[in-house]
Amino acid sequence: MIEQHFGESSPFSLGVEEELMILDAETFEQVAAVDRILKGVEGMDLPGSVKTELFASVFETNTNVCATVAEVDEALPALRRAAAVAAEREGLAIGAAATHPFALPEAQPIVKEERYVTFVGYGGITVRRQGVQGLHVHVGLPSAEDCWRCLDAIVPWLPVVLALSANSPWFAGELTGMASNRAPILAELPRAGVTPAFASYAEWEAWVERLMHLGVTEEYTRIWWDARPHPKLGTLEIRVPDQPTDVHLSAAFAALLQALCATALEEGLPRDVHALGDRGRADYVQNRWSAARFGARAKLLHPDGQGYLPVSELAAELFELVRPAARALGGEAFLDRIDPTACEADLQLQRATAQEAAADVVARSLG
């Protein structure tokens, strides 16, 4: 049995992770300096932690367990500020977006930790291409079965979240035409994309344990679905959003996902009961691609299976569905920070004029 700690924090508590880039303060090139950032924040009184990521030119901030979105909204800027101060002392800066406009992912040095080195040895080029950053939101849930029930209910709505958060139109120096290059790049990993339609938490657990027993994977955190149970933390971890540039949007997406989970457990999300299996997952694959391609301008299949609508309409419906839960949890005001008609990829594209060099785009887009 996988160690689990569901129910040990208050229902719908939050933990939020941001993946941020380390840049040269003048050229805006990515710099492999995570050790200098970590050393620079040592001894600071922080509302969370700063950790390594796969590439040495990226770091991750983790909030402490937060009871409310307001706590997240205080913690995330504090963590960014601490890292920015550490970076400035070294002639560096930090950047926030889901991809760097011109850095080549394969050129980024890997952090020399066993988990990352073995990961590259296993995944090869599919891992070396993971020059992408995401926002991960952990929502505390009362039990393992509640976690799976919640996950199964929210999956059809996650492409809407991806579309609204899309913030990676560049990849390796090119505007590819995708609003989120991160989404398809992540999907190159094994065990990525949509969560399979297991019937229960126990069925998921048995599958993971079989893969571990056979030597396919070391543990469940080597599964990179857009949403996954994280039993050791007692959370549902939602990994679908691109990393926002605006830190206040990070808190807003945390509020949305917290309220979405609460609404799901109250059976408040409409969906097509005939599409919970293969058809529903097939719809998800279509919607995930469309959200990544077009961002907030996408059209998606409705989670009830009966319509094909613009993201703006689906987002308005989603906000209306979750608003009562957001109000009860103290996160309603944060929903208003999310524009249902736009995403940050649009802002990057507006700035990518023929007159601007890539470095100018970085300076204006990464915050």
Side-chain angles (χ1 to χ4, degrees), residues 120-143:
V120 173
Y122 172 66
I125 189 61
T126 66
V127 175
R128 292 289 329 189
R129 279 169 52 82
Q130 296 300 310
V132 295
Q133 290 75 235
L135 176 73
H136 302 165
V137 177
H138 290 261
V139 181
L141 292 168
S143 70

Side-chain angles (χ1 to χ4, degrees), residues 14-68:
L14 292 165
V16 180
E17 304 168 3
E18 289 196 304
E19 294 175 336
L20 304 169
M21 294 172 282
I22 307 168
L23 311 175
D24 183 281
E26 294 184 0
T27 67
F28 302 110
E29 295 275 359
Q30 279 193 264
V31 179
V34 67
D35 54 336
R36 291 150 70 185
I37 300 297
L38 296 183
K39 184 176 180 181
V41 300
E42 280 182 5
M44 290 187 180
D45 183 16
L46 299 175
S49 58
V50 180
K51 299 180 179 179
T52 57
E53 252 298 332
L54 172 67
F55 293 125
S57 55
V58 176
F59 65 96
E60 180 180 278
T61 64
N62 298 174
T63 69
N64 293 330
V65 176
C66 298
T68 66

Side-chain angles (χ1 to χ4, degrees), residues 67-303:
T68 66
V69 181
E71 291 181 30
V72 172
D73 197 42
E74 292 181 0
L76 290 177
L79 290 166
R80 283 203 197 185
R81 280 194 297 270
V85 168
E88 187 176 6
R89 292 184 188 131
E90 299 288 331
L92 303 170
I94 66 170
T99 55
H100 189 285
F102 59 82
L104 300 178
E106 296 94 326
Q108 302 305 308
I110 301 295
V111 170
K112 300 304 181 185
E113 296 178 14
E114 183 179 2
R115 57 179 173 155
Y116 298 131
V117 173
T118 58
F119 185 26
V120 173
Y122 172 66
I125 189 61
T126 66
V127 175
R128 292 289 329 189
R129 279 169 52 82
Q130 296 300 310
V132 295
Q133 290 75 235
L135 176 73
H136 302 165
V137 177
H138 290 261
V139 181
L141 292 168
S143 70
E145 284 307 319
D146 282 331
C147 178
W148 193 264
R149 185 162 61 91
C150 180
L151 189 160
D152 198 47
I154 72 170
V155 158
W157 293 95
L158 295 184
V160 180
V161 178
L162 172 59
L164 296 175
S165 70
N167 192 28
S168 47
W170 296 85
F171 189 73
E174 294 186 9
L175 286 172
T176 65
M178 304 292 288
S180 172
N181 281 287
R182 172 179 170 267
I185 293 296
L186 277 178
E188 294 179 5
L189 293 176
R191 306 175 296 278
V194 63
T195 311
F198 293 118
S200 65
Y201 177 90
E203 189 173 298
W204 167 80
E205 184 178 48
W207 179 79
V208 173
E209 289 179 338
R210 180 171 63 87
L211 264 56
M212 292 169 62
H213 175 73
L214 294 173
V216 176
T217 186
E218 295 88 346
E219 58 174 347
Y220 70 85
T221 59
R222 294 293 183 105
I223 296 168
W224 295 280
W225 296 328
D226 293 341
R228 67 184 184 186
H230 205 315
K232 291 180 183 177
L233 298 180
T235 66
L236 174 59
E237 181 185 4
I238 304 164
R239 305 164 53 84
V240 74
D242 272 9
Q243 173 60 53
T245 298
D246 183 346
V247 69
H248 297 298
L249 274 179
S250 294
F253 282 112
L256 175 61
L257 293 169
Q258 179 194 45
L260 180 62
C261 289
T263 305
L265 288 191
E266 295 169 359
E267 305 292 343
L269 297 177
R271 56 182 180 168
D272 181 359
V273 296
H274 301 294
L276 298 182
D278 291 342
R279 195 175 83 191
R281 269 32 182 193
D283 284 1
Y284 186 96
V285 171
Q286 165 62 32
N287 282 348
R288 188 183 195 275
W289 179 87
S290 188
R293 170 68 175 91
F294 299 109
R297 296 176 291 107
K299 289 185 70 174
L300 306 179
L301 293 160
H302 193 286

